[in-house]
Amino acid sequence: MEAGAVAALYPAHRCKTIYLVRHAHGFHNAAEESDIIDHTSPTLLDAQLTPLGWSQVDCLREHVTKSGLAKKIELVIVSPLMRTMQTAVGVFGGGNYTDGVSAPPLMVEGAEDSGRQPISSLNCPPFLAVEACREKLSVLTSDKRSSITRYRTLFPAIDFSLIENDEDVLWGPDVIETDESVVARGMNLFDWLWTREEKEIAIVTHCGFLYHTLNTYGKECHPTVAEELGKVFANCELRSMVLVDRSKLGSDTCTYNFAGKIPTGLDMPSNVADKKQAEEASKN
């Protein structure tokens, strides 16, 4: 067998598995299917999910439950827009919320006239809102978020502590974010994940954010892999990726590793064996 550079090996503690999800079908997506609707209309502000979108959420929830993925995910990171938060709690949240329990719901009943039952925060991972994974900023009103004060009333169990401003100071009617800016915050977000202890993380975000970020990572890959990374996400599509730390950002040791020891005894003390092994290794 000839040695080749087809495969790559990385220590397990320098890898994380991330599950990337594009939000389900929103009212702004429905508007995009028509040529006569003004996409800057206030009616599309912070667009929520359509009935079709909620059906997509239910299908993905069934998949992550049956596949066992729901039990593996340790953290859900979500873009702080209505459609992404509705998607995130609908897919990865607990079951129906019951009055009288001590934990607050992930989503209150009928949030944004959705007609949905409240969603429990029990028996599911924590949810953390992060603005770095927002959609590419544009003049579209659907990309403007509501206030964090309002969100907290609708999604009580989502953690908004990392968001500095109550109102959306990033969006503007004449702000058009560059592709390079989207890529920069996308890559910074993935680097930031190495400050987290969790190894299995879901990120519920947007099509443009995923497209620009993943295409940049694909530039270092084989063309077949690059094409796979750069494929546009469908609504409520989930893809799993392995995030590899090629620097020293993730320096924690793997709990499964075992250095190997020769037990002390009559034959040779373990420390002597270690010394001899080190000496032999230095000669090679």
Side-chain angles (χ1 to χ4, degrees):
M1 180 182 298
E2 295 183 2
V6 176
L9 285 175
Y10 288 90
H13 67 279
R14 295 195 179 278
C15 300
K16 292 180 186 285
T17 303
I18 57 175
Y19 303 93
L20 303 176
V21 180
R22 181 191 176 191
H23 64 78
H25 189 262
F27 278 102
H28 66 303
N29 295 133
E32 290 168 0
E33 299 162 7
S34 172
D35 294 330
I36 60 174
I37 294 181
D38 179 8
H39 301 301
T40 63
S41 169
T43 60
L44 295 177
L45 178 66
D46 198 9
Q48 64 167 309
L49 299 186
T50 63
L52 170 60
W54 280 112
S55 296
Q56 293 171 335
V57 166
D58 292 337
C59 289
L60 182 53
R61 180 181 180 83
E62 181 180 8
H63 168 73
V64 300
T65 301
K66 288 185 176 180
S67 65
L69 178 57
K71 294 182 179 180
K72 296 177 63 177
I73 292 175
E74 302 167 74
L75 174 69
V76 177
I77 292 174
V78 59
S79 163
L81 275 86
M82 193 66 65
R83 58 191 180 270
T84 40
M85 291 188 291
Q86 288 177 326
T87 301
V89 300
V91 172
F92 299 110
N96 291 340
Y97 180 78
T98 303
D99 289 335
V101 299
S102 58
L106 274 170
M107 188 178 81
V108 299
E109 182 174 4
E112 288 298 277
D113 298 322
S114 63
R116 303 287 291 194
Q117 294 295 312
I119 298 174
S120 173
S121 60
L122 298 176
N123 302 314
C124 65
F127 286 68
L128 180 63
V130 178
E131 286 209 290
C133 62
R134 286 180 60 163
E135 182 57 293
K136 177 181 177 180
L137 294 167
S138 70
V139 298
L140 303 182
T141 52
S142 57
D143 294 335
K144 185 182 190 306
R145 69 165 172 82
S146 301
S147 70
I148 300 303
T149 298
R150 179 167 178 249
Y151 285 154
R152 284 195 169 110
T153 65
L154 300 174
F155 305 96
I158 292 182
D159 182 354
F160 295 98
S161 61
L162 294 183
I163 299 180
E164 297 180 356
N165 299 287
D166 185 52
E167 297 294 338
D168 190 353
V169 300
L170 300 178
W171 185 89
D174 56 353
V175 172
I176 300 179
E177 187 177 14
T178 65
D179 295 346
E180 292 76 15
S181 173
V182 179
V183 168
R185 59 183 171 90
M187 299 184 79
N188 286 338
L189 173 70
F190 288 163
D191 284 347
W192 171 78
L193 293 180
W194 292 108
T195 68
R196 306 285 313 188
E197 295 180 353
E198 298 88 358
K199 292 292 187 181
E200 308 257 350
I201 301 173
I203 302 176
V204 183
T205 180
H206 306 264
C207 180
F209 173 83
L210 291 168
Y211 177 81
H212 292 295
T213 303
L214 296 184
N215 267 283
T216 299
Y217 280 102
K219 293 178 180 179
E220 299 182 2
C221 302
H222 185 278
T224 301
V225 178
E227 182 180 359
E228 185 176 353
L229 284 174
K231 184 180 178 182
V232 174
F233 274 66
N235 283 123
C236 219
E237 180 179 358
L238 179 152
R239 298 183 203 167
S240 59
M241 308 273 177
V242 176
L243 185 65
V244 176
D245 174 26
R246 296 189 298 183
S247 66
K248 286 190 175 182
L249 290 174
S251 58
D252 292 340
T253 58
C254 180
T255 56
Y256 295 113
N257 287 357
F258 182 70
K261 295 291 287 184
I262 300 175
T264 57
L266 296 177
D267 292 338
M268 183 181 293
S270 181
N271 61 332
V272 175
D274 289 345
K275 183 179 179 181
K276 286 183 173 292
Q277 289 178 356
E279 291 174 350
E280 289 297 326
S282 64
K283 296 177 181 178
N284 297 329

